[in-house]
């Protein structure tokens, strides 16, 4: 078969491991020709490709990012985009397309399959771990480890100066990274998008802790965390080039509020894209490899409109319609029954 593959949305550690696994099994077991599209859907519409074979996969397993490049945006946003995609399939004789992406890319993949009947299989990825239908996405484990390493380092300087450290992590709609890194890093408070926070309550926790002595505090805040209505002045939304609300910066808003209310010196650390960069953890390499193998098997099973997913440590196929247009919130039991036990 002629199998196309693209990586879409924000990058994450493990994308190259998926590509490698698809190519390995596709070429060696099924005799497939695998074609990589550069820069996500742009590559499909502009016919920018790269042929992928086992030889070219050497050294790819531990490499972060994606060798194919990635973009946000979709054929639905370009005039004549859908016709161009169909033409690419026809002209290139594509039998299948594997789309490795997060919520946005999987929604587009689902729609293209649904609207045009294209033979598409999805693979979920994102450091945010917020894809519905799978227990976990690759990239998450690496991001949590990176954030935890940073928090570990911040403890010592926070303690030396007896300060509050606000650590902002990624997670525009969900608090998965914040909750896991916060538990692993011994956070004093964790703020997540799923639970609007009251700044006065946060300050009460910080004051109580500091009254016990020189107890510096680490507050882990997900970039999408929001103050409860009426508790802080609202802020004007800023949009990025593809029209998404820019989330970054909630910690910068919080720091002066905390300093003013508590009198404790407060510093901000924005981990930002450091969480997305670099080599994948061993866990993510294994997960990405399993998803890649699952995807090429799904292609040969003709499981169009499905994506690989992890359920109870088994790779299974689930309809992409389960994930399309949704976001998986953090497990609130983990937040309420585990993380918050250690607040204060
Ligand atoms: O991949 C998802 C994500 O990590 C979000 O948590 C974050 O808001 C977003 O990417 C930022 O991505 P970019 O800077 O590439 O738009």
């Amino acid at each position: 078969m002629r199998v196309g593959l693209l990586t879409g949305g924000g990058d994450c550690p493990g994308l190259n491991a998926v590509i490698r696994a698809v190519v390995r099994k596709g070429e060696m077991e099924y005799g497939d020709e695998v074609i990589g599209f550069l820069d996500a859907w742009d590559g499909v519409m502009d016919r920018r490709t790269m042929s992928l074979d086992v030889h070219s996969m050497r050294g790819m397993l531990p490499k972060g990012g994606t060798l194919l490049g990635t973009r946000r945006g979709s054929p639905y946003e370009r005039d004549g985009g859908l016709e161009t995609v169909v033409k690419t399939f026809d002209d290139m004789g594509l039998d299948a397309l594997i789309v490795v992406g997060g919520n946005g890319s999987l929604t587009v993949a689902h729609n293209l399959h649904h609207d045009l009947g294209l033979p598409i299989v999805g693979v979920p990825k994102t450091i945010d771990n917020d894809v519905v239908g799978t227990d976990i996405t690759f990239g998450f484990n690496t991001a949590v480890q990176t954030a935890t390493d940073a928090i570990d380092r911040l403890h010592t300087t926070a303690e030396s100066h007896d300060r509050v450290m606000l650590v902002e992590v990624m997670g525009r709609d969900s608090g998965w990274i914040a909750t896991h890194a916060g538990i692993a890093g011994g956070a004093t408070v964790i703020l997540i998008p799923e639970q609007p926070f009251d700044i006065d309550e946060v300050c009460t926790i910080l004051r109580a802790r500091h009254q016990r002595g020189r107890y510096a505090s680490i507050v882990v805040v997900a970039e999408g965390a929001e103050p409860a209505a009426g508790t802080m002045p609202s802020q004007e939304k800023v949009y990025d080039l593809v029209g998404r609300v820019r989330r970054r910066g909630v910690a910068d808003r919080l720091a002066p509020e905390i300093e003013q209310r508590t009198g404790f010196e407060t510093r901000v650390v924005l981990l930002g894209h450091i969480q997305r960069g670099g080599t994948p953890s061993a866990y993510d390499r294994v997960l990405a490899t399993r998803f890649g193998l699952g995807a090429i098997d799904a292609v040969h099973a003709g499981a169009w409109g499905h994506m690989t997913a992890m359920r109870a440590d088994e790779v299974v196929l689930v309809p992409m319609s389960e994930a399309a247009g949704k976001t998986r919130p953090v497990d609130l039991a983990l937040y309420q029954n585990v993380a918050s036990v250690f607040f204060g």
Side-chain angles (χ1 to χ4, degrees):
M1 288 173 93
R2 283 198 109 190
V3 182
L5 189 156
L6 67 82
T7 52
D11 72 339
C12 78
L15 287 166
N16 289 321
V18 174
I19 300 170
R20 171 179 173 269
V22 168
V23 170
R24 176 80 180 198
K25 193 161 187 185
E27 184 181 315
M28 307 285 277
E29 279 196 32
Y30 293 116
D32 293 334
E33 181 190 358
V34 184
I35 297 162
F37 287 99
L38 304 181
D39 302 331
W41 296 104
D42 287 358
V44 179
M45 291 185 284
D46 303 336
R47 228 47 91 74
R48 286 187 290 114
T49 63
M50 161 182 192
S51 56
L52 301 168
D53 57 19
V54 169
H55 181 71
S56 61
M57 291 300 111
R58 281 172 63 191
M60 282 299 145
L61 180 60
K63 241 182 146 199
T66 162
L67 79 127
L68 294 175
T70 184
R71 292 286 183 280
R72 299 198 192 273
S74 89
Y76 287 93
E77 291 154 33
R78 202 194 268 193
D79 276 348
L82 299 191
E83 293 75 22
T84 319
V85 170
V86 171
K87 195 160 167 20
T88 298
F89 266 77
D90 291 344
D91 292 354
M92 292 183 66
L94 278 189
D95 297 303
L97 179 67
I98 296 173
V99 174
V100 190
N103 287 323
S105 306
L106 292 170
T107 302
V108 172
H110 162 71
N111 291 344
L112 286 171
H113 166 69
H114 179 265
D115 299 346
L116 306 174
L118 293 177
I120 298 179
V121 162
V123 176
K125 66 86 219 173
T126 168
I127 64 165
D128 292 350
N129 199 33
D130 61 355
V131 175
V132 172
T134 182
D135 294 347
I136 190 161
T137 54
F138 64 87
F140 172 62
N141 179 271
T142 308
V144 168
Q145 190 58 56
T146 302
T148 304
D149 289 346
I151 294 168
D152 285 349
R153 287 180 176 275
L154 291 170
H155 270 290
T156 58
T157 174
E159 281 154 18
S160 304
H161 290 266
D162 198 20
R163 279 176 174 157
V164 176
M165 285 284 177
L166 282 177
V167 187
E168 183 174 310
V169 298
M170 278 190 172
R172 52 186 301 112
D173 301 307
S174 69
W176 285 100
I177 297 178
T179 302
H180 278 247
I183 292 171
T188 302
V189 185
I190 302 170
L191 306 178
I192 58 172
E194 292 86 343
Q195 295 255 289
F197 61 86
D198 181 338
I199 185 73
D200 284 328
E201 279 172 19
V202 172
C203 290
T204 303
I205 293 173
L206 295 175
R207 263 189 238 102
R209 178 175 167 83
H210 283 240
Q211 270 159 16
R212 299 206 300 270
R214 284 177 62 88
Y215 284 102
S217 294
I218 305 278
V219 178
V220 178
V221 49
E223 61 184 352
E226 297 269 6
T231 56
M232 261 172 74
S234 60
Q235 214 202 14
E236 214 182 301
K237 287 189 169 47
V238 178
Y239 295 87
D240 65 17
L241 286 178
V242 292
R244 301 198 322 162
V245 175
R246 227 183 252 291
R247 294 288 188 200
R248 195 181 161 97
V250 60
D252 281 328
R253 282 176 68 202
L254 282 177
E257 299 283 341
I258 290 175
E259 278 197 341
Q260 209 182 18
R261 287 169 158 85
T262 63
F264 302 142
E265 256 198 318
T266 303
R267 293 288 186 268
V268 169
V269 177
L270 297 184
L271 290 184
H273 294 79
I274 288 174
Q275 297 157 94
R276 280 208 334 225
T279 188
S281 65
Y283 179 89
D284 279 336
R285 293 181 206 187
V286 174
L287 179 57
T289 298
R290 292 178 73 189
F291 275 3
L293 298 178
I296 194 69
D297 287 341
V299 163
H300 285 272
W304 314 128
H306 285 68
M307 67 177 195
T308 59
M310 185 60 78
R311 298 252 177 104
D313 208 33
E314 288 272 341
V315 177
V316 297
L317 293 176
V318 302
M320 282 194 285
S321 55
E322 274 191 30
K326 301 185 195 112
T327 304
R328 189 169 76 112
V330 75
D331 175 1
L332 277 182
L334 182 71
Y335 183 80
Q336 282 159 357
N337 304 337
V338 180
S340 65
V341 172
F342 298 92
F343 288 0

